[in-house]
Amino acid sequence: MSNEKYDTAEEREYVQPTTAPKMTASHYIATRIPTLKPAKDKVPNPIALLRLLNLQQWLFFLVAFFAWTWDAFDFFTVSLTVENLAETFGKTKADITWGITLVLMLRSVGSIIFGLAADRYGRKWPFIINNVLFIVLELGTGFCSTYNQFLGVRAMFGIAMGGLYGNAAATALEDCPEAARGIISGMLQQGYAFGYLLATVFTRAFVDTVGHEWRPLFWFGAGPPVLIIIFRLCLPETQAYQERKRIREETPNAAKAFMEEGKVALKQHWMLLIYMVLLMAGFNFMSHGSQDLYPTMLSNQYNFSKNQVTITQVVANLGAMAGGTIVGYCSSIFGRRFSIICMCFLGGAILYPYTFTSTNAVIAAAFFEQFCVQGAWGVIPIHLMELSPGSFRTFVVGTSYQLGNLVSSASSTIEATIGEQFPLPPKGKVKRYKYGLVICIFLGCVYAYVILLTIIGPEYRGKSFDVAADEDMAVVKGDSTDGRQDSEDVEKGRRE
């Protein structure tokens, strides 16, 4: 890539902050729309990009992908068994969705604890501890006998799940070649969709088929993390973390140096951190709003059989995996923000057939809706990594994501509660509701919010993850007197 730097509104790609001139607030605002113009950078074909990764980089990606996949699997086991759990515990479906809400609410606690641990002590052992907790808590869920026990275990599960996302993103992307970041980001994020797909398939395989109602699904969920732990034990720390650790240990007190990095990062990037949380709130509303109550809508409102629901969900998640990978790759060509906004517009256009089609034709709408939702999400891992301060990459990526989850934690409960205000004629003793209407309106508002936040936000595509390029670290070491300028002041690049 060219190292030329320009000061025009048409600038695209991020350059290092030490070379960026001060940008006023009015100038920043004036550049939000012009900088959305697609960069159209030349990027090698996907196969050539994937060949850039060496064996160790591929292993880092795979262990992160499998862990993120199973994290999603564990989460969606509740979403896909809402009716079964409600029957077992004698509660309404809205009551059971509090199990989902508690997980989302407490994830931010886990992201803070495990994120700080991963940035201070390394990616490896916090990752392993996360997966040990998954094993214990999935088994515990399967043995719950009361509603309160169920809520308690899922609340603890939220803490465990919260620590994984930032660690997985850092593990997969820190050492990734810059040119391949977009496509690897898209592939990594689709572990979420793949986990949803696996949860859908195994729910159909285990629930009400092998005895003990829904419980075998959760017992099964405790198995794969054992293999993931063994996989991670065989790998070292990422090279990016090892280099940062080496620099800290050159100081008289590594712990003090870490604290100083935190002070600098907070002082220089506090406004950007708030923006990232607000953006992730919109993304999580988009994801959970389109997915969590959707199986219930199909079965309750449109009387789909269990097989029909399974097929629809599988096809939807195939669309999600395709969307995330393709759009993640395209974000390296057209830009992160432009790619996200395009997917939101397209997703909004497909909302009506996604929520108001009562026949098997909804499968096509489900494929393309989730293509758009997860297409936008495919940009997020690398977008957050590029926006984050280097010393606290795991913490910031994970915590911004999970605080966004906290804000959006009640999405399924909100949809279920509002949906019950629009009753349909019952089917026997089963009460029915217009969940599709609520999902459609809810997602329309969410898409508009995400588009607005993305337009006003920054983009640092091409940012170096090397510690030598980290101005925050330079301030801590005393190599810089100016520090890094505000995040909004460093969005620069090269002319189209």
Side-chain angles (χ1 to χ4, degrees), residues 71-149:
D71 186 312
F73 175 95
D74 292 338
F75 175 79
F76 283 112
T77 49
V78 173
S79 300
L80 294 169
T81 55
V82 167
E83 293 189 22
N84 306 81
L85 291 164
E87 183 177 350
T88 297
F89 296 126
K91 299 291 183 177
T92 66
K93 290 186 286 292
D95 290 331
I96 297 301
T97 58
W98 274 106
I100 301 171
T101 301
L102 281 173
V103 168
L104 297 176
M105 290 175 66
L106 290 171
R107 276 183 170 187
S108 56
V109 177
S111 69
I112 293 171
I113 296 171
F114 288 101
L116 290 174
D119 284 324
R120 175 64 181 91
Y121 301 107
R123 318 309 190 199
K124 186 172 183 176
W125 290 104
F127 184 97
I128 290 170
I129 293 171
N130 267 176
N131 281 277
V132 170
L133 291 175
F134 289 166
I135 295 169
V136 174
L137 294 171
E138 275 291 78
L139 288 173
T141 303
F143 285 107
C144 288
S145 57
T146 68
Y147 176 66
N148 288 335
Q149 289 176 357

Side-chain angles (χ1 to χ4, degrees), residues 276-302:
M276 292 168 68
V277 172
L278 294 175
L279 181 65
M280 285 299 93
F283 266 85
N284 280 290
F285 271 123
M286 183 198 309
S287 180
H288 295 295
S290 68
Q291 295 169 346
D292 292 356
L293 204 64
Y294 198 68
T296 303
M297 183 201 78
L298 294 175
S299 60
N300 180 274
Q301 181 174 348
Y302 296 128

Side-chain angles (χ1 to χ4, degrees), residues 151-478:
L151 290 183
V153 172
R154 297 314 290 182
M156 294 174 65
F157 211 117
I159 296 174
M161 294 177 77
L164 186 71
Y165 184 79
N167 200 326
T171 300
L173 293 169
E174 270 188 330
D175 291 351
C176 181
E178 190 277 327
R181 287 181 192 171
I183 189 169
I184 293 298
S185 171
M187 292 168 62
L188 172 66
Q189 184 60 38
Q190 295 333 296
Y192 180 87
F194 188 44
Y196 194 177
L197 188 153
L198 293 178
T200 302
V201 172
F202 284 110
T203 295
R204 188 70 187 96
F206 285 116
V207 176
D208 294 330
T209 60
V210 295
H212 304 287
E213 301 171 316
W214 47 268
R215 300 178 190 275
L217 176 65
F218 293 86
W219 296 333
F220 169 75
V226 176
L227 302 178
I228 295 170
I229 290 171
I230 295 172
F231 190 176
R232 188 65 184 94
L233 283 170
C234 296
L235 298 176
E237 294 287 355
T238 63
Q239 293 180 11
Y241 174 77
Q242 291 183 53
E243 178 62 17
R244 194 171 292 275
K245 179 182 177 184
R246 182 189 65 78
I247 293 177
R248 285 175 184 159
E249 292 178 347
E250 290 177 352
T251 66
N253 189 326
K256 183 178 179 180
F258 179 73
M259 294 297 293
E260 287 300 318
E261 292 172 56
K263 293 177 182 177
V264 172
L266 183 61
K267 179 181 179 181
Q268 300 292 342
H269 310 290
W270 65 270
M271 187 177 296
L272 180 61
L273 301 182
I274 293 173
Y275 167 78
M276 292 168 68
V277 172
L278 294 175
L279 181 65
M280 285 299 93
F283 266 85
N284 280 290
F285 271 123
M286 183 198 309
S287 180
H288 295 295
S290 68
Q291 295 169 346
D292 292 356
L293 204 64
Y294 198 68
T296 303
M297 183 201 78
L298 294 175
S299 60
N300 180 274
Q301 181 174 348
Y302 296 128
N303 298 314
F304 274 38
S305 67
K306 291 182 178 180
N307 284 339
Q308 286 177 302
V309 172
T310 300
I311 292 171
T312 303
Q313 292 296 87
V314 167
V315 172
N317 283 285
L318 290 175
M321 288 186 284
T325 303
I326 293 171
V327 179
Y329 168 71
C330 289
S331 74
S332 293
I333 303 172
F334 301 108
R336 315 296 189 209
R337 295 161 64 226
F338 181 82
S339 300
I340 290 170
I341 290 170
C342 282
M343 288 300 99
C344 289
F345 272 115
L346 291 175
I350 305 171
L351 277 178
Y352 185 83
Y354 182 65
T355 53
F356 283 87
T357 303
S358 59
T359 67
N360 285 332
V362 77
I363 293 175
F367 178 93
F368 288 108
E369 184 66 40
Q370 290 306 314
F371 181 101
C372 294
V373 170
Q374 290 302 313
W377 265 103
V379 183
I380 285 301
I382 190 57
H383 191 40
L384 294 184
M385 288 281 287
E386 290 171 338
L387 292 178
S388 299
S391 297
F392 288 82
R393 196 168 287 137
T394 303
F395 168 74
V396 170
V397 171
T399 302
S400 61
Y401 173 83
Q402 302 302 354
L403 285 176
N405 254 326
L406 174 62
V407 175
S408 68
S409 59
S411 55
S412 58
T413 303
I414 291 170
E415 287 182 331
T417 303
I418 296 177
E420 290 174 4
Q421 306 305 308
F422 299 93
L424 289 168
K427 184 180 180 182
K429 296 182 179 180
V430 178
K431 296 180 179 179
R432 298 170 61 240
Y433 304 98
K434 295 181 179 179
Y435 291 122
L437 174 65
V438 177
I439 293 174
C440 183
I441 296 173
F442 185 83
L443 283 178
C445 297
V446 170
Y447 278 131
Y449 172 83
V450 172
I451 289 170
L452 176 62
L453 262 288
T454 305
I455 288 174
I456 67 175
E459 178 178 337
Y460 300 159
R461 183 164 53 95
K463 175 182 176 181
S464 173
F465 291 161
D466 293 340
V467 69
D470 186 351
E471 185 68 13
D472 291 349
M473 180 64 82
V475 173
V476 174
K477 291 170 61 182

